Short mmCIF file of all heavy atoms in Angstrom, two decimals:
data_model
loop_
_atom_site.label_atom_id
_atom_site.label_comp_id
_atom_site.label_asym_id
_atom_site.label_seq_id
_atom_site.Cartn_x
_atom_site.Cartn_y
_atom_site.Cartn_z
N TYR A 372 -30.97 77.24 -15.02
CA TYR A 372 -30.38 76.52 -13.90
C TYR A 372 -29.69 77.47 -12.92
O TYR A 372 -29.57 77.17 -11.73
CB TYR A 372 -29.41 75.46 -14.40
CG TYR A 372 -30.12 74.21 -14.89
CD1 TYR A 372 -30.25 73.94 -16.25
CD2 TYR A 372 -30.68 73.31 -13.99
CE1 TYR A 372 -30.92 72.81 -16.69
CE2 TYR A 372 -31.34 72.17 -14.42
CZ TYR A 372 -31.46 71.92 -15.78
OH TYR A 372 -32.12 70.81 -16.20
N PHE A 373 -29.23 78.62 -13.41
CA PHE A 373 -28.68 79.63 -12.51
C PHE A 373 -29.75 80.07 -11.52
O PHE A 373 -29.51 80.13 -10.30
CB PHE A 373 -28.20 80.83 -13.33
CG PHE A 373 -27.55 81.91 -12.51
CD1 PHE A 373 -26.18 82.01 -12.43
CD2 PHE A 373 -28.31 82.86 -11.84
CE1 PHE A 373 -25.57 83.02 -11.68
CE2 PHE A 373 -27.72 83.87 -11.09
CZ PHE A 373 -26.34 83.94 -11.01
N PHE A 374 -30.94 80.39 -12.04
CA PHE A 374 -32.02 80.81 -11.15
C PHE A 374 -32.47 79.67 -10.24
O PHE A 374 -32.81 79.90 -9.08
CB PHE A 374 -33.20 81.34 -11.97
CG PHE A 374 -32.88 82.57 -12.76
CD1 PHE A 374 -33.08 82.61 -14.13
CD2 PHE A 374 -32.37 83.69 -12.14
CE1 PHE A 374 -32.79 83.74 -14.87
CE2 PHE A 374 -32.06 84.84 -12.87
CZ PHE A 374 -32.27 84.86 -14.25
N LEU A 375 -32.44 78.46 -10.74
CA LEU A 375 -32.82 77.31 -9.91
C LEU A 375 -31.84 77.11 -8.76
O LEU A 375 -32.23 76.69 -7.66
CB LEU A 375 -32.89 76.06 -10.78
CG LEU A 375 -33.61 74.83 -10.19
CD1 LEU A 375 -35.05 75.18 -9.83
CD2 LEU A 375 -33.58 73.68 -11.18
N ALA A 376 -30.56 77.44 -8.97
CA ALA A 376 -29.56 77.31 -7.92
C ALA A 376 -29.84 78.24 -6.74
O ALA A 376 -29.40 77.98 -5.61
CB ALA A 376 -28.17 77.60 -8.49
N LEU A 377 -30.58 79.31 -6.97
CA LEU A 377 -30.92 80.23 -5.89
C LEU A 377 -31.84 79.61 -4.85
O LEU A 377 -31.98 80.15 -3.75
CB LEU A 377 -31.59 81.49 -6.48
CG LEU A 377 -30.68 82.46 -7.22
CD1 LEU A 377 -31.50 83.44 -8.03
CD2 LEU A 377 -29.79 83.21 -6.25
N VAL A 378 -32.45 78.48 -5.16
CA VAL A 378 -33.32 77.81 -4.20
C VAL A 378 -32.53 77.39 -2.96
O VAL A 378 -33.08 77.32 -1.85
CB VAL A 378 -34.02 76.60 -4.85
CG1 VAL A 378 -34.79 75.78 -3.81
CG2 VAL A 378 -34.97 77.07 -5.95
N VAL A 379 -31.24 77.10 -3.11
CA VAL A 379 -30.43 76.63 -1.98
C VAL A 379 -30.35 77.68 -0.86
O VAL A 379 -30.74 77.40 0.29
CB VAL A 379 -29.03 76.20 -2.45
CG1 VAL A 379 -28.16 75.81 -1.25
CG2 VAL A 379 -29.14 75.03 -3.42
N PRO A 380 -29.85 78.91 -1.11
CA PRO A 380 -29.83 79.89 -0.01
C PRO A 380 -31.22 80.28 0.46
O PRO A 380 -31.42 80.55 1.65
CB PRO A 380 -29.07 81.08 -0.60
CG PRO A 380 -29.19 80.93 -2.08
CD PRO A 380 -29.22 79.46 -2.33
N VAL A 381 -32.18 80.33 -0.44
CA VAL A 381 -33.55 80.67 -0.04
C VAL A 381 -34.11 79.61 0.91
O VAL A 381 -34.75 79.93 1.92
CB VAL A 381 -34.45 80.82 -1.29
CG1 VAL A 381 -35.93 80.87 -0.90
CG2 VAL A 381 -34.08 82.08 -2.06
N GLY A 382 -33.88 78.34 0.62
CA GLY A 382 -34.36 77.28 1.49
C GLY A 382 -33.71 77.31 2.87
O GLY A 382 -34.37 77.08 3.89
N LEU A 383 -32.41 77.63 2.92
CA LEU A 383 -31.73 77.74 4.21
C LEU A 383 -32.30 78.90 5.04
O LEU A 383 -32.45 78.79 6.26
CB LEU A 383 -30.24 77.93 3.99
CG LEU A 383 -29.48 76.72 3.42
CD1 LEU A 383 -28.04 77.10 3.08
CD2 LEU A 383 -29.50 75.55 4.41
#
Side-chain angles (χ1 to χ4, degrees):
Y372 281 104
F373 183 99
F374 296 125
L375 195 58
L377 287 166
V378 173
V379 176
V381 167
L383 291 173

